[in-house]
Amino acid sequence: MSKSLPAIGFVTALEDENHGYFGGYLVLSSLGRPLEFHCSTPVQPNQAQRILYGATLRDYVLADLIGQTLLAKSQLPVQAVLTDQREMLGLSLLCDETIACVEPAGCNDAQAEASSGPLLVLSDYQLVGTPSCVWQPEAFQTLLLSLISHVDLMEPFERIRAAIREAQRITDPAPDSQLGLADAA
């Protein structure tokens, strides 16, 4: 019988002008080791969605389409999910996990105060939530202490983006090979 490890999820997305949005979800142990990873296929909003969602389109794509789908695919329970994109905070309305956005300390202070959600300053970062987020800063700090002794809180988001880029590079034929095929035809 294996022992269940405390785990923290990290979810983010990157935008590609040709393909749309790609999302990634990485679950780390409290030692910062990867336990699970999922990435999305590209999501390219169509013109009708752009018109209907207007200024809320990015929130909808990142939280409702990408974030919710990635968290639903996960096999491991997590104690919290961190994101580096405020648009993902809408996940707090869509899933049971504790959601917080990690930003450099002092970043968007006015926006953080205006959100009236929970706020925790931890090391060089601040974690913010929306009013719908019910996490308590003190409990959240205790939860993250082991992880931050092993991992910078922003570093897992770079791992996710690098993994998405690598997966995209492998699945997309190189532009030179496309040109070569066209020239040969």
Side-chain angles (χ1 to χ4, degrees):
M1 180 176 192
S2 68
K3 186 175 173 182
S4 177
L5 297 173
I8 304 291
F10 291 81
V11 63
T12 192
L14 61 91
E15 186 173 1
D16 178 90
E17 67 182 57
N18 296 322
H19 298 96
Y21 297 91
F22 293 89
Y25 181 59
L26 175 64
V27 177
L28 296 180
S29 72
S30 59
L31 300 175
R33 294 185 181 148
L35 301 173
E36 186 175 357
F37 177 73
H38 296 279
C39 63
S40 72
T41 56
V43 175
Q44 184 73 279
N46 61 36
Q47 189 58 29
Q49 289 171 319
R50 291 179 195 284
I51 293 167
L52 294 172
Y53 284 93
T56 66
L57 178 67
R58 189 172 163 87
D59 295 9
Y60 168 71
V61 169
L62 296 186
D64 295 35
L65 296 181
I66 293 174
Q68 185 177 22
T69 301
L70 290 172
L71 268 60
K73 284 183 180 179
S74 180
Q75 301 293 310
L76 296 173
V78 294
Q79 294 178 314
V81 175
L82 304 179
T83 183
D84 62 346
Q85 296 174 320
R86 281 188 180 244
E87 295 91 345
M88 289 270 191
L89 286 174
L91 280 169
S92 64
L93 297 172
L94 304 170
C95 61
D96 295 330
E97 289 84 356
T98 299
I99 309 291
C101 182
V102 181
E103 301 172 331
C107 177
N108 296 321
D109 279 343
Q111 193 177 3
E113 289 177 21
S115 74
S116 70
L119 172 68
L120 168 65
V121 176
L122 187 62
S123 186
D124 296 332
Y125 301 104
Q126 63 186 21
L127 289 84
V128 297
T130 64
S132 61
C133 296
V134 294
W135 52 266
Q136 298 298 317
E138 298 80 20
F140 214 31
Q141 181 174 356
T142 302
L143 173 69
L144 295 174
L145 283 179
S146 175
L147 181 67
I148 64 171
S149 67
H150 299 284
V151 175
D152 180 289
L153 284 180
M154 295 301 277
E155 186 274 333
F157 301 115
E158 289 306 315
R159 283 194 229 177
I160 295 170
R161 284 190 265 280
I164 291 170
R165 285 186 198 104
E166 181 63 20
Q168 185 59 28
R169 184 182 68 80
I170 292 169
T171 57
D172 269 358
D176 292 340
S177 67
Q178 288 177 339
L179 181 60
L181 290 174
D183 288 343

